[in-house]
Each structure stands twice: as C-alpha cells, then as structure tokens.
C-alpha cells in the first residue's frame, strides 16, 4: 500500500533539555536559528542549572527577536526524562524535534524533517550524526549513516530513534506519554524506551539520511568503567521490556569496539590543545553532507 503523502508541511518545535550547558547552549541555539526553513519554536528546558545556561538563552533570544525561543524551567525532578517530557508537553507544533544541548543542527535539518513527515505513515523520525569534535568527520558521518540503516533493517519490529537527533509527531507523543518509563534510577536509555513504547502502540519510526545533526564525542573522554555503564544501558532497557536479548548485542558490540581508538584520538586532541573542542564549535553550524 502506498503511504499517504500530504501536500502540507507540518509545523516543527525543537526541544532542548539543558543542565549546566552554559559553554555549549549558545552554539546549539545559533545552529537551530540558522535553519534554511525556520523552526516554529525553539524550547530550552532548564533542569536546575547552577551556571549561566538560562542567562545565555535569554541573551540569544533578545538578539534574535524574529525567532520564537522559549525558556522553561523544570525544577521538580533532576533528570533528562522529566525535562524532555516537560518540553514535549509544552510544545505547540505538529512535530516535536529533540536534540541535546551540545548538538548542532545541519542547516537543512528543519526542512528535511518537514518533508519526511508529509508521509502520514511516519510517527517518529531519526537520522545520522556527525561528531564535530573528532577528525575525519565526513567519513564518520557516512559510517554512522550506514550503521543506523543496518540497525533499522535488522530491527524491523523495534525501530529506534536516537535521542540526540529525533522528532516525533505530537499525536504520537500524546499516545505514549503516560506509558514511557520514568526511570527514576537513571538506568535506561530514554530514547530506546520511548521507541519501544512507540512500537508497541503501532507507531512507525522512519529514517532520513539527510536529517543530519552534529554531536560531541565528549562521552569518549570517559574512563572505560563509566563508558561501559553507559553501554550496558542497552541491556537494562531491553530487559526491562522483556525484549529479545539479541537486539542489545549489535549496538553494544559496536560501541565497545570503537571505544579504544576513539578514546585514544580524544586524548591526543586534548594533549594538542585544551581549547580545541571549544574553538571548533563556531564553524559547525555550516554542516553539510556535500
């Protein structure tokens, strides 16, 4: 059956959960503002930040009066999930995009999301990422794109969105919002949990190679013990939902394989310059697949 494609482009809100992101939130916002097709609103949800995150958002908002930038406070509970949920609930658009506070959208991101959601079969969407503070960025983007496509083919029943680069229809969010796991112990992958609830409610997750987002590889700075705990979130999330254990093995294996080389590259970069990561940020909003 041919998917129903409408001629109308949906409205898009962008939700950015933030906790103590003073050093990165400005670059994140400026990349979001620089979209070729403007976002209908940008919502930053501040979760008990103790630095200048909120002040930075207000300053950028004053500098760009033509862009709707909303700053919300989620102080009830510390954590990504309640902060994400507060942003989703406050958004007013047809489609709710979500990235991290250190993410940098490629200029065509908003346009690609709107075009993809013309397909009425798609309830959520994800795309590849480029690690903007690592060498060989273009090669990394191509490899990431191929890997995520492979996961989509292998996991036909449970197709997963990536929390650093995702979008979901508001109506699909409203369908699952009371079902997603609160994860008060902070043990699960919140994006995989959300994806599982979408799948179990018959909602289809699409993939768009041109929906590109730049993210930081700063997790590779972690010691192996901390990194391993992050990887094991796959196992804990799948088992919390009593899913096939085979689903956890592919992403876990890949993440363990890439850690030694990427961790080493990060250490070399840090030895070369303490400020190299920060100095690389201004050029990233011109991300392009060409």
């Amino acid at each position: 059956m041919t998917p129903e494609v409408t001629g109308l482009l949906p409205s898009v809100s962008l939700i950015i959960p933030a906790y103590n992101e003073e050093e990165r939130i400005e670059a994140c916002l400026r990349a979001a503002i620089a979209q070729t097709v403007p976002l209908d609103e940008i919502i930053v949800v501040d979760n008990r930040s103790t630095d200048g995150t909120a002040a930075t958002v207000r300053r950028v908002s004053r500098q760009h009066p033509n862009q709707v930038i909303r700053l919300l406070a989620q102080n009830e509970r510390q954590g990504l999930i309640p902060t994400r949920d507060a942003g989703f609930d406050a958004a007013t658009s047809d489609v709710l995009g979500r990235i991290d506070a250190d993410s940098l959208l490629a200029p065509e991101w908003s346009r690609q999301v709107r075009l993809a959601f013309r397909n009425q079969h798609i309830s959520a969407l994800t795309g590849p990422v480029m690690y903007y503070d690592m060498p060989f960025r273009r090669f990394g983007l191509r490899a990431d794109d191929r890997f995520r496509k492979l996961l989509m083919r292998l996991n036909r029943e449970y197709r997963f969105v990536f929390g650093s680069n995702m979008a979901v229809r508001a109506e699909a969010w409203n369908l699952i919002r009371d079902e997603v796991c609160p994860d008060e112990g902070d043990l699960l992958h919140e994006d995989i949990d959300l994806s599982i609830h979408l799948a179990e409610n018959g909602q289809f997750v699409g993939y768009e190679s041109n929906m590109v987002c730049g993210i930081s590889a700063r997790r590779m700075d972690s010691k192996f013990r901390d990194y391993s705990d992050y990887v094991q979130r796959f196992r804990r999330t799948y088992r919390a939902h009593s899913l096939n254990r085979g689903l956890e093995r592919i992403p876990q294996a890949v993440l363990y394989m890439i850690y030694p080389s990427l961790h080493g590259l990060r250490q070399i970069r840090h030895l070369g310059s303490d400020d190299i990561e920060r100095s690389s940020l201004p050029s990233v909003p011109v991300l392009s697949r060409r």
Side-chain angles (χ1 to χ4, degrees):
M1 184 172 64
T2 303
E4 180 184 353
V5 177
T6 69
L8 300 176
L9 295 178
S11 55
V12 178
S13 298
L14 181 69
I15 291 84
I16 308 171
Y19 170 67
N20 285 349
E21 292 286 357
E22 177 183 8
E23 294 187 0
R24 298 169 181 268
I25 192 65
E26 181 171 354
C28 177
L29 287 172
R30 293 197 183 282
I33 292 166
Q35 295 295 290
T36 57
V37 177
L39 293 156
D40 292 277
E41 61 180 357
I42 300 170
I43 302 175
V44 179
V45 188
D46 185 19
N47 181 210
R48 300 180 179 178
S49 292
T50 58
D51 64 358
T53 296
T56 301
V57 175
R58 293 190 188 98
R59 173 170 54 79
V60 174
S61 179
R62 289 194 299 270
Q63 294 171 349
H64 297 273
N66 294 328
Q67 174 68 67
V68 177
I69 301 177
R70 300 168 58 192
L71 174 64
L72 307 180
Q74 193 287 108
N75 296 322
E76 186 173 334
R77 180 183 144 208
Q78 190 77 54
L80 175 58
I81 289 178
T83 307
R84 174 203 70 187
D85 294 356
F88 281 0
D89 289 343
T92 62
S93 297
D94 302 320
V95 172
L96 316 177
R98 211 280 271 178
I99 60 173
D100 293 328
D102 62 352
S103 297
L104 299 166
L105 297 180
E108 288 282 296
W109 189 91
S110 173
R111 177 174 175 272
Q112 295 298 333
V113 168
R114 293 174 197 270
L115 290 174
F117 274 100
R118 290 174 60 200
N119 183 340
Q120 298 302 297
H121 182 54
I122 292 177
S123 295
L125 189 69
T126 195
V129 296
M130 174 188 286
Y131 290 94
Y132 57 71
D133 48 8
M134 290 290 287
F136 312 114
R137 295 189 307 175
R138 307 296 174 186
F139 172 80
L141 173 60
R142 290 193 295 270
D144 186 87
D145 183 40
R146 290 171 183 169
F147 175 63
R148 294 186 192 281
K149 286 178 178 176
L150 174 63
L151 286 182
M152 287 290 183
R153 288 196 297 270
L154 293 176
N155 298 339
R156 293 183 182 276
E157 184 177 2
Y158 293 95
R159 295 163 61 92
F160 299 128
V161 296
F162 181 39
S164 297
N165 185 19
M166 64 159 287
V168 59
R169 287 192 193 275
E171 57 190 38
W173 166 245
N174 290 331
L175 182 66
I176 66 168
R177 66 177 304 280
D178 294 327
E179 298 180 10
V180 293
C181 297
D183 190 23
E184 295 182 1
D186 192 25
L187 299 173
L188 311 179
H189 275 311
E190 54 86 22
D191 47 2
I192 294 179
D193 173 73
L194 183 146
S195 302
I196 292 170
H197 287 286
L198 286 169
E200 292 179 346
N201 280 273
Q203 305 298 296
F204 180 78
V205 173
Y207 183 82
E208 174 52 62
S209 292
N210 293 312
M211 178 186 172
V212 180
C213 182
I215 68 172
S216 173
R218 56 178 171 167
R219 187 173 300 281
M220 293 298 171
D221 295 336
S222 303
K223 295 180 179 178
F224 181 75
R225 181 178 60 184
D226 297 327
Y227 180 81
S228 182
D229 181 71
Y230 165 78
V231 175
Q232 288 301 311
R233 286 175 179 262
F234 286 99
R235 177 181 59 84
R236 295 194 292 263
T237 307
Y238 294 138
R239 294 183 184 182
H241 291 274
S242 300
L243 291 186
N244 177 4
R245 289 183 58 184
L247 293 176
E248 74 192 46
R249 292 175 181 153
I250 296 176
Q252 283 189 175
V254 171
L255 288 172
Y256 277 130
M257 284 191 298
I258 66 175
Y259 175 81
S261 57
L262 296 186
H263 180 74
L265 284 172
R266 293 284 293 175
Q267 301 313 302
I268 292 171
R269 285 172 65 86
H270 288 319
L271 287 173
S273 171
D274 291 338
D275 294 325
I276 192 167
E277 185 172 334
R278 185 181 304 176
S279 66
S280 71
L281 290 178
S283 65
V284 178
V286 299
L287 284 173
S288 169
R289 288 185 57 82
R290 291 192 294 274

